[in-house]
Each structure stands twice: as structure tokens, then as C-alpha cells.
């Protein structure tokens, strides 16, 4: 019997037609189109070779000779992505029945129809001469927006640095229009750090696209859960051979890609998480389809910071590849150090860079820098709190009509703070609410929509006093306007982002006299912190020291503890550089120990990230967010919450889900409605909390969910039992708190306890 893998056979056929091994990269691009790389050269036992050669002759006669120059990495994976997507489109029997035979004109017409059905068409761009034509609420561009339009004219890398709320998003979109209208880009992908922030920016990009495009199809949203927000089922793709397992898997993957989430990378205008772009740089299955989708576009990377070492290494690799793919990359940040900006722009160490802030930098044909006029200064007063949480004081401020945002560093701490506020509140007291990632999707979506609207710009629903407790989901790129901010200690760049939610918009009247942030810090004084050992410092920093690097927290504490106020944007650059400066031997012994530990960890994370980009040597892992794009000491899994599960026969069950939806799920066939209903009732959990119920999932669940998932049944008292056995899980659910983990009970069942996720 011959080789069943037709992708491998295709690679061998092309290899034989190329003159020498230096050209084999082109053949490898052909062989990879099922998502897995076969290597630079493969050998198979061939059948039907004569027929394949005749077909190859016909294709060469129609489309031209094979390449005669060696490809670089960007060219290989661009080609692999093109072939893969073409194969998916050609596998849709609605347009290309397998038993049909057509002449070339009809083939071209069918191909054109298929492309139009997935919204692939040449962009039509309207002429917009004024900034107000792009953004009707902004009659004139500010200094930063003007500088961006002066600098960004051609493919290259551009870094826009400015304070929170200074119009960086509009500046990037205006540059995007300028470059697309000039014919130097074929679309836009706007990448943000979280699903919440990408959901929010989607509502701003959609009307922008409607104003610039003559044929404005909906802007696609791309992240791991974005397909839940639509109602469009994916097209059906059919493998060429029912005996080729890899081809069957390839067809299933095509359906996943065109369901809507990942498809945003292929359509002209897409918005989503930065992870979707980063998955194009790591050894995830079909990584090259992402590179193909981004090629030639404007790619905006929002909220790029200094702190994140692992993801930061991947971002640097992504920016380099985007330049090779002739993209325009626009990096937005309020909190970059000079060192990080230099890395992104690929500027040699000896070449001086401006220290101005705000600043627009561009690296295309040469380095260009434009200093910008800063916005009016805003003085934010700082109060550090080292005693117990100020629950009573917070409620007093809320009772005076203030809207408070309280950011905790872990989900457990956020839930504890919410309960303390709730218990201390009166029946007629202010609204108390909680946001974090450990809600089922349907509930989290409702809470986020509600509170982003209440605390947004010009909201008619703004409460007369409230406390919104949140984790990092409300930290950046969300339009929350708080009167008072309370926050745990965090790295300086994260603290600055949190302060960006404070007095964000002009209001005719505030219930408080000045913007103020309360930072909760370790209880020891400065002298005690300098005497403490490495272990003692870790203990003092508590859970925050397990979320963020202890040394960076100490350096941040040093800069914030005795500072009575910070003036924005004047102090942003200075406090960032001071936090991340090299202090050498001047630091106490315990601090030096933590710094050396951090330096080793940074080196290890950079190596891990670079290893993840070694696509030739790594196996193809699933292309799910967070698998290789984020570094975390806390692996996650999923929990499906249902009220009742009723077996119908040996292959299907009736699910009465937490949101009260009732669906039937089969182990035989994937069903879009069932999959969507199941995913809307999933909760992201620390893996250790559900670890002993992840093995051997029911077949109906395995058919509809790709990630490791446990199944829990909600009881009348709010507790959760494991499905199938009815044993207690150590978990509970509350509509206002999400899933609550009883760590003591779970430790006795699952073994060693691990840190929880923090968002």
C-alpha cells in the first residue's frame, strides 16, 4: 500500500521538480498544509506518480514555473498559509463538488464566488480628508495624533507612547487609514491583551471601518471565545480521502478556523487578542495560516509593556516577522522603558533615543522621532495603606456618591474583598459588584457589559456611589472612569495602567475634590524591608509576590511608598526608568538575592519563548490561546456547569445548563448550537482545582470542547458536585461571586495545592 498522507506525497512531488536541496523549503511549504511540518525533505513510497506529474505539468503551464531562488522563513510560511487556506476553500463542496468537471473560466468564477462568500474581496476605500471625517467626535487631532500622521506613511515599525486616555487608539486607526488608502496595506488587525479589552475596542473599530470602506463587512472579532458572540455556523469542509486521517483532521480544523474567531485574521479588518497574532510565531498547529492572514496588513499591538518577559520576547519575534511580511506594525504603550522601545525598533545600543514623553518613533527607511505636546497635567495624590483593608472607608466614600474601582491581584482576594464590602454594607447602601475571570462566559459577559456601560464616558446609568471590585481584567484598555482607585501593589507599569482608570474623563462635577489612589503595601517599614531575607520578603509580599516577580514589586514599592503624588504625564518616564534601572551592589542582600533569581528567570523565560518559535524542531501543539503565548505558573483548565444531565441513549445526553438553556449533545456529530451553549457555560479554572476530574471526559463533551474540561452539577445550596458520581467537588457557585474554591477540601482530594490564576 502507498503513503496515505497526500500532503507528504505533494511535498515529494515538488521536491523532485526543484533543482537541489537549497530550494526544498518551497516543497516543505506544500507538505505542511495540513498543519504539521514534515521536515525540509521527505521520502515516501509513491503510487500514481505519472498522473501526478501530468497534473503538475498542467499547473505549471497555467500558473508559471516553480521558484528558482531559495526561500527565507517568511516566504516559506507565507506560502504554506496560502496553500492551506486555498485547500480549505477548495474543500467546500457547496462551491466545488468532487464529481464535477469544469473548464478554466468556470473554475475561476466558482473560486471568485467562494472568496466573496467568505468576504475576501479587494478593499474599496472612501476618501477622507479631515481627521473629523474619521472620528466625528474629535474635530481636530491632538499633538500626538498629528505626529503619528506625519511619521507613519509606509510599512515599518512605529511606537506610539503617550499617557492613558490621550487618543493613541485614534492615532493608530488614522495611520491605518492613511497607509491603506495609499495602497501600502491590505487591511487591519488590532490586537489587545485580553478578551474583555478586545471586545471593547471592537465597538470602536467597527464604526471606523464603516466610515472608511465602500464595502464595510462586519469587523471580525478574534479570541478564544469570540465565536460565542455570533450566530454564524461554520461552513462544511470535506477531506479529499476518507482514509487519510490527517486530511480528515485538517477539514475539521478548517471548520474551526472559519467559525469566526480565527477567521478574523483572514478577513480585511479584524480585532482580537494579541495571542492570536503571537500564535503565528510559535509551534502551534497552522501557525503559518496566521502569518499569511497578517501579511501586508497594518497590525496594531496595544498595551505593550516592559514587565512581561516571556510574552515580550514573542512580541519582539512577531514584530521582526511582520517587517519581513511587509506589514506596518504600530505599537501602543503608556509604559515603555527606553530599553524596550529600542528592542522593538531594532535600534543599536550606541544610537541615542529621545527621552521625551509623549513620543512617536518610527523605523522604516530610517529612524524618525517626533516629540509631542503633552496633555494638561493631572496630579494624582497617593496614599499608601499597610494595615487591614479599608472596607469601612471605601463604603463611606461610596455613600458620598463616589464610584470606586478596587483592583486586587488574585481572584481569591477579590472575592474576599467583595464579601467584606457586602457584609458591611447597609440595605440602602451603594452598589457593590465583582469582576474576574472565574465566572461562566454568559455571566461574565453580562457583568462586563453592565459595568463598562455604567462607568463609561458620558453614561446616563452612572451610579450615585458604588464599589466595583476587580482583578486585572479592568486594568487596561477599558473605558472605566473611577472617582477613587484602591489597588494592591503591582509593578510600576501596571500601577500606571490602573491609574489610567482614575478621573479618565472630564466631568462637570465630581463628588470628590481630587484624584486619589490608595496603594495597599506590605506592613513593614522601609528599614525592616531592607533587613529582610529573601524568604521574609516573599512572605511579606504575600499572594502578590506569586503573581508578580518579588524583586520588581520591591523596586516598585521603593518608588511609590513615600511619594505623596504623581503628576501625569510628566512623571511617567522617570518613575518607569527608576523602577527598572540597574542598582547593582547598592541593594540589600535579600533584594540582591531576589534580583539574581529574577535575572535567571528572565533568561529562562526568554529561552523558553525562543524555543517555542523553533517551529522546525517542535511538535505542532493545539492553536489555543495561552498554550504557548503566556508564561504562567498556574496551568488552567475548564469547568462546565450544568443543573442536570439526562442520558437519552448510548450516544447523546440532554443538558440543562447553568444559564437555563437546554440542548442535546451527541458523541457522534458536532453541533454548532450545542457547542455554543456548552461554551457559554464554561468557567476557566486553576487546573489543580479540577485536576482529578479531567481524565476520560464523556464522549459528547470531547466532541464539543477541545480543552481539558471537568463537569460539575450545581446543587440547590450553591455547592457543586462532580457529574456522574455526585461526590462533592470542594467548589461552589454564586451568581455575584463566580466559582468559589474551598482550598482546604480540594487539597485533601487533589494533592498539592498550586497558586491560582490572577485575572
Amino acid at each position: 500500500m502507498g503513503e496515505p498522507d497526500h500532503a507528504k506525497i505533494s511535498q515529494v512531488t515538488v521536491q523532485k521538480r526543484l533543482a537541489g536541496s537549497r530550494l526544498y523549503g518551497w516543497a516543505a511549504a506544500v507538505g505542511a498544509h495540513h498543519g504539521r511540518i514534515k521536515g525540509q525533505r521527505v521520502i515516501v513510497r509513491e503510487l500514481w506518480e505519472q498522473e501526478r506529474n501530468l497534473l503538475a505539468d498542467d499547473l505549471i503551464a497555467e500558473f508559471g514555473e516553480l521558484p528558482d531562488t531559495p526561500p527565507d522563513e517568511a516566504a516559506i510560511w507565507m506560502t504554506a498559509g496560502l496553500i492551506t487556506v486555498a485547500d480549505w476553500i477548495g474543500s467546500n463542496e457547496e462551491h466545488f463538488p468532487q464529481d464535477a468537471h469544469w473548464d478554466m473560466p468556470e473554475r475561476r468564477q466558482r473560486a471568485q464566488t467562494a472568496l466573496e462568500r467568505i468576504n475576501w474581496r479587494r478593499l474599496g476605500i472612501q476618501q477622507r480628508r479631515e481627521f473629523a471625517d474619521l472620528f466625528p467626535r474629535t474635530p481636530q487631532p491632538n499633538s500626538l495624533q498629528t505626529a503619528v500622521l506625519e511619521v507613519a506613511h509606509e510599512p515599518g515599525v512605529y511606537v506610539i507612547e503617550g499617557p492613558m486616555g490621550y487618543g493613541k487608539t485614534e492615532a493608530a486607526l488614522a495611520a491605518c487609514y492613511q497607509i491603506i488608502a495609499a495602497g501600502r496595506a491590505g487591511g487591519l488587525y488590532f490586537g489587545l491583551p485580553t478578551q474583555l479589552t478586545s471586545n471593547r475596542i471592537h465597538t470602536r473599530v467597527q464604526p471606523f471601518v464603516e466610515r472608511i470602506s465602500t464595502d464595510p463587512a462586519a469587523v471580525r472579532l478574534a479570541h478564544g471565545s469570540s465565536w460565542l458572540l455570533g450566530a454564524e455556523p461554520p461552513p462544511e469542509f470535506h477531506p479529499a480521502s476518507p482514509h487519510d486521517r490527517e486530511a480528515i483532521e485538517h477539514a475539521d480544523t478548517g471548520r474551526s478556523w472559519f467559525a469566526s474567531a480565527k477567521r478574523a485574521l483572514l478577513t480585511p479588518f479584524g480585532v482580537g487578542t494579541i495571542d492570536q497574532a503571537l500564535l503565528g510565531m510559535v509551534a502551534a498547529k497552522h501557525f503559518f495560516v496566521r502569518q499569511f492572514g497578517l501579511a501586508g496588513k497594518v497590525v496594531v499591538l496595544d498595551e505593550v509593556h516592559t514587565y512581561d518577559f516571556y510574552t515580550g520576547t514573542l512580541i519582539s519575534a512577531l514584530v521582526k516577522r511582520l517587517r519581513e511580511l511587509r506589514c506596518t506594525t504600530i505599537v501602543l504603550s503608556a509604559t515603555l522603558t527606553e530599553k524596550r522601545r529600542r528592542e522593538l525598533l531594532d535600534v543599536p545600543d550606541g544610537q541615542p533615543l529621545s527621552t521625551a514623553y509623549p513620543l512617536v518613533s518610527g523605523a522604516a527607511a530610517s529612524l524618525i522621532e517626533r516629540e509631542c505636546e503633552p496633555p494638561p497635567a493631572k496630579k494624582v495624590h497617593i496614599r499608601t495603606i499597610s494595615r487591614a483593608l479599608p472596607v469601612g472607608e471605601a463604603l463611606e466614600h461610596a455613600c458620598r456618591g463616589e464610584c470606586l474601582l478596587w483592583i486586587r491581584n488574585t481572584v481569591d482576594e477579590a472575592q474576599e474583598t467583595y464579601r467584606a464590602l457586602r457584609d458591611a454594607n447597609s440595605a440602602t447602601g451603594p452598589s457593590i459588584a465583582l469582576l474576574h475571570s472565574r465566572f461562566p462566559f454568559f455571566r461574565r459577559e453580562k457583568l462586563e457589559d453592565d459595568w463598562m456601560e455604567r462607568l463609561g464616558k458620558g453614561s446616563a446609568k452612572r451610579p450615585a456611589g458604588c464599589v466595583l471590585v476587580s482583578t486585572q481584567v479592568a486594568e487596561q484598555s477599558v473605558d472605566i472612569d473611577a472617582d477613587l482607585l484602591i489597588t494592591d501593589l503591582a509593578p510600576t507599569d501596571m500601577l500606571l495602567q490602573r491609574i489610567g482608570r482614575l478621573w479618565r474623563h472630564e466631568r462637570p462635577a465630581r463628588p470628590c475634590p481630587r484624584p486619589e489612589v490608595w496603594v495597599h503595601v506590605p506592613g513593614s517599614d522601609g528599614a525592616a524591608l531592607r533587613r529582610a531575607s529573601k524568604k521574609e520578603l516573599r512572605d511579606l509580599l504575600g499572594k502578590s509576590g506569586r503573581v508578580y516577580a518579588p524583586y520588581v514589586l520591591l523596586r516598585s514599592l521603593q518608588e511609590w511608598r513615600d511619594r505623596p503624588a504623581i503628576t501625569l504625564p510628566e512623571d511617567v518616564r522617570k518613575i518607569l526608568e527608576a523602577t527598572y534601572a540597574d542598582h547593582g551592589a547598592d541593594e540589600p542582600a535579600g533584594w540582591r538575592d531576589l534580583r539574581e533569581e529574577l535575572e535567571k528567570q528572565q533568561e529562562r523565560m526568554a529561552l523558553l519563548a525562543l524555543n517555542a518559535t523553533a517551529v522546525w524542531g517542535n511538535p505542532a501543539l493545539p492553536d489555543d490561546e495561552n498554550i504557548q503565548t503566556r508564561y504562567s505558573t498556574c496551568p488552567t483548565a475548564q469547568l462546565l456547569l450544568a443543573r442536570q444531565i439526562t442520558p437519552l441513549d448510548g450516544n447523546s445526553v440532554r443538558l440543562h445548563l447553568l444559564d437555563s438553556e437546554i440542548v442535546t449533545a451527541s458523541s457522534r456529530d458536532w453541533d454548532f448550537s450545542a457547542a455554543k451553549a456548552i461554551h457559554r457555560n464554561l468557567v476557566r479554572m486553576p487546573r489543580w482545582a479540577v485536576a482529578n476530574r479531567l481524565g476520560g471526559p464523556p464522549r459528547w463533551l470531547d466532541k464539543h470542547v477541545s480543552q481539558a474540561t471537568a463537569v460539575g452539577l450545581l446543587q440547590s445550596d450553591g455547592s457543586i458536585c462532580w457529574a456522574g458520581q455526585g461526590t462533592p467537588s470542594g467548589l461552589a457557585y454564586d451568581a455575584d461571586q463566580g466559582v468559589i474554591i474551598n482550598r482546604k477540601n480540594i487539597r485533601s482530594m487533589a494533592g498539592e495545592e498550586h497558586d491560582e490564576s490572577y485575572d
Side-chain angles (χ1 to χ4, degrees), residues 407-483:
I407 299 182
R408 302 304 312 271
N409 285 342
T410 69
V411 176
D412 278 358
E413 290 169 320
Q415 290 174 328
E416 291 167 5
T417 301
Y418 169 82
R419 288 192 291 268
L421 288 163
R422 181 198 60 190
D423 294 345
N425 199 15
S426 65
T428 58
S431 300
I432 312 293
L434 178 62
L435 284 181
H436 56 71
S437 65
R438 210 188 293 158
F439 284 96
F441 183 89
F442 77 90
R443 179 61 178 160
R444 179 176 174 179
E445 179 187 23
K446 183 179 186 307
L447 288 168
E448 289 173 352
D449 287 346
D450 184 23
W451 283 96
M452 297 306 112
E453 181 182 2
R454 289 192 190 192
L455 298 182
K457 183 177 182 179
S459 174
K461 296 182 179 180
R462 188 174 180 85
C466 68
V467 184
L468 174 61
V469 182
S470 178
T471 54
Q472 289 87 333
V473 296
E475 180 176 83
Q476 54 192 332
S477 290
V478 291
D479 192 18
I480 286 178
D481 181 12
D483 297 313

Side-chain angles (χ1 to χ4, degrees), residues 13-63:
T13 302
V14 176
Q15 276 176 195
K16 290 184 175 181
R17 287 181 167 260
L18 294 172
S21 60
R22 293 174 65 247
L23 301 177
Y24 283 171
W26 295 115
V30 176
H33 76 267
H34 284 175
R36 294 186 176 91
I37 301 169
K38 314 299 183 185
Q40 285 276 12
R41 182 174 184 270
V42 297
I43 300 173
V44 299
R45 180 185 175 189
E46 291 193 86
L47 298 174
W48 301 96
E49 182 175 4
Q50 183 177 357
E51 293 299 321
R52 279 194 300 277
N53 284 328
L54 290 173
L55 174 60
D57 290 338
D58 289 343
L59 291 172
I60 290 172
E62 180 66 30
F63 297 105

Side-chain angles (χ1 to χ4, degrees), residues 176-250:
C176 172
Y177 168 75
Q178 181 169 270
I179 293 167
I180 291 176
R184 294 174 177 265
L188 164 70
Y189 182 74
F190 204 119
L192 295 104
T194 66
Q195 294 184 8
L196 171 59
T197 56
S198 55
N199 290 345
R200 296 296 145 191
I201 206 70
H202 181 260
T203 63
R204 297 168 66 184
V205 174
Q206 178 70 54
F208 165 78
V209 172
E210 291 172 355
R211 285 190 286 271
I212 71 169
S213 176
T214 59
D215 184 21
V219 179
R220 288 283 178 175
L221 184 63
H223 57 61
S225 301
S226 61
W227 67 284
L228 301 178
L229 304 176
E232 179 183 351
E236 288 293 331
F237 297 111
H238 299 277
S241 169
H243 305 295
D244 187 340
R245 291 184 179 180
E246 189 173 273
I248 295 171
E249 183 183 345
H250 176 60

Side-chain angles (χ1 to χ4, degrees), residues 702-725:
D702 200 37
K703 188 71 176 179
H704 291 86
V705 179
S706 60
Q707 295 179 336
T709 304
V711 183
L713 294 176
L714 183 66
Q715 307 300 298
S716 58
D717 62 356
S719 64
I720 297 171
C721 288
W722 296 123
Q725 298 178 348

Side-chain angles (χ1 to χ4, degrees), residues 614-619:
V615 295
W616 289 104
N618 284 327

